[in-house]
């Protein structure tokens, strides 16, 4: 059980490390160029790993819905936005606001598509998140 | 870069960050479906491949402006160190780690909750010490309050809010 716990925690660390590194690249280039390198380097790496391990491309790829190809396009905008933001509002604010948006939009998205949502916990969670967001804005 | 910049961030920037979290929700849903149909490695490979092509198309459209802006940035800040190019490598490893933990007893909720903890810990450290060539930011009680409120609210949603009670 210790391995998956460490893996999940390390994944969170890497999300931030990756945003920092992309942000640094964007300072010497642009956020869009930085986002290109992020995707290109990741693609080359995953292609090599996939060739070594084999079975990268599933047999049912032709049957998949067209919109599974849109994830990468959304990712380009998200990564470019992350680089642009972290150099302006810092790591903590980026992390908090992105998580806040992910949670609030996640609940709206689940409600819209009819996925089960436990209302009391979701509502209380959103209230706490909005309060936290208000706090990042408060003048001292 | 040693003196912390103004502490109060531009509200429009915060709003943009909040909106980008919505993009993340969509991307995770789409990539999650690709992963369910074809495996986590395939999903990540596909997202990076499509992303590479889309980024090239975007860059081609706005290339003149991008080239000028990049040249100006390099002249001001200097060339990026080699390690600044490994963001995609870290992202690819992230997918491997999360697919390990999602398929353990931690499941998705535990993975998200622990990932959130990792994100908060490293971003606090990054701002405090100004890690990896990004500006240092002074942290105060207001930051601590925002961290506690947003993290608690997110954990409530992850652990109890999503899925049926």
């Amino acid at each position: 059980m210790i391995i998956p716990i460490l893996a999940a925690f390390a994944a969170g660390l890497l999300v931030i490390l990756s945003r920092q590194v992309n942000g640094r690249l964007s300072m010497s280039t642009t956020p869009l160029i930085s986002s290109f390198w992020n995707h290109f380097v990741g693609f080359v790496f995953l292609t090599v790993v996939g060739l070594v391990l084999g079975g990268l491309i599933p047999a049912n790829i032709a049957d998949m819905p067209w919109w599974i190809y849109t994830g990468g396009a959304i990712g380009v905008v998200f990564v470019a936005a992350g680089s642009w933001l972290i150099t302006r509002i810092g790591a903590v604010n980026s992390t908090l606001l992105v998580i806040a948006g992910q949670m609030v939009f996640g609940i709206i998205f689940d409600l819209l598509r009819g996925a089960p949502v436990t209302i009391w916990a979701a509502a209380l969670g959103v209230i706490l998140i909005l309060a936290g967001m208000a706090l990042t804005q408060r003048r001292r | 870069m040693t003196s912390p910049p103004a502490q109060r961030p531009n509200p429009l920037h915060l709003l943009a960050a909040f909106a980008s979290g919505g993009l993340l929700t969509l991307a995770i849903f789409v990539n999650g479906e690709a992963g369910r149909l074809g495996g986590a490695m395939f999903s990540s490979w596909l997202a990076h491949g499509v992303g590479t092509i889309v980024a090239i198309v975007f860059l081609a459209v706005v290339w003149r402006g991008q080239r000028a802006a990049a040249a100006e940035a390099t002249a001001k800040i200097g060339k990026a160190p080699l390690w600044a190019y490994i963001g995609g490598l870290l992202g690819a490893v992230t997918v491997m780690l999360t697919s390990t933990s999602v398929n353990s007893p931690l499941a998705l909720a535990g993975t998200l909750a622990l990932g959130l903890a990792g994100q908060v810990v490293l971003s606090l450290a990054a701002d405090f010490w100004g890690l990896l060539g990004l500006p240092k930011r002074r942290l105060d009680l207001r930051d601590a309050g925002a961290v506690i409120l947003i993290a608690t609210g997110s954990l409530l949603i992850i652990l109890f809010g999503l899925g049926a009670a």
Side-chain angles (χ1 to χ4, degrees):
Chain A
M1 195 56 188
I2 190 78
I3 299 276
I5 289 175
L6 288 177
F9 186 76
L13 297 179
L14 284 183
V15 166
I16 299 309
L17 196 57
S18 174
R19 198 177 291 155
Q20 291 275 129
V21 164
N22 286 326
R24 176 63 190 82
L25 181 55
S26 81
M27 284 170 69
S28 288
T29 57
T30 70
L32 186 54
I33 291 173
S34 172
S35 183
F36 161 76
W37 282 110
N38 175 78
H39 285 84
F40 180 67
V41 169
F43 181 67
V44 171
F45 174 71
L46 286 163
T47 303
V48 171
V49 173
L51 287 175
V52 171
L53 296 179
L56 182 62
I57 299 176
N60 60 345
I61 185 166
D63 304 327
M64 294 183 187
W66 62 269
W67 50 262
I68 62 155
Y69 294 94
T70 61
I74 302 169
V76 169
V77 179
F78 175 74
V79 172
S83 297
W84 190 83
L85 287 164
I86 199 170
T87 55
R88 284 165 176 78
I89 61 175
V92 170
N93 282 324
S94 299
T95 303
L96 292 181
L97 272 294
V98 169
I99 290 174
Q102 188 189 350
M103 292 298 140
V104 173
F105 284 107
I107 287 171
I108 295 171
F109 184 63
D110 276 1
L111 286 173
L112 287 178
R113 70 190 178 101
V117 171
T118 305
I119 292 298
W120 72 265
L124 189 56
V126 169
I127 290 169
L128 289 173
I129 287 171
L130 294 179
M133 288 172 63
L135 203 54
T136 64
Q137 260 309 284
R138 221 187 59 153
R139 225 182 258 280
R140 282 157 308 136
Chain B
M1 272 216 243
T2 42
S3 68
Q7 289 291 299
R8 188 165 179 268
N10 183 332
L12 284 177
H13 293 170
L14 295 177
L15 202 64
F18 183 72
S20 84
L23 285 182
L24 186 59
T25 297
L26 282 180
I28 288 177
F29 175 76
V30 171
N31 294 337
E33 279 298 293
R36 194 175 61 81
L37 296 168
M41 280 283 288
F42 164 73
S43 164
S44 183
W45 176 76
L46 183 70
H48 282 88
V50 171
T52 301
I53 296 167
V54 170
I56 289 173
V57 172
F58 282 174
L59 280 172
V61 173
V62 292
W63 182 239
R64 285 169 69 100
Q66 288 286 306
R67 195 172 55 174
E72 194 184 322
T74 310
K76 203 169 98 192
I77 306 278
K79 275 180 67 164
L82 205 56
W83 55 256
Y85 289 85
I86 66 161
L89 210 76
L90 301 171
V93 174
T94 306
V95 173
M96 297 175 190
L97 291 173
T98 48
S99 61
T100 308
S101 87
V102 164
N103 293 310
S104 78
L106 286 178
L108 183 62
T111 303
L112 287 175
L114 285 163
L116 189 146
Q119 290 190 42
V120 168
V121 166
L122 188 55
S123 56
L124 285 169
D127 273 352
F128 188 77
W129 284 297
L131 299 181
L132 300 169
L134 294 191
K136 217 185 253 191
R137 275 185 72 254
R138 196 156 50 82
L139 299 169
D140 53 25
L141 271 179
R142 199 195 47 166
D143 290 299
V147 166
I148 291 168
L149 286 169
I150 294 178
T152 310
S154 302
L155 288 176
L156 256 178
I157 292 170
I158 292 168
L159 300 176
F160 304 108
L162 300 178

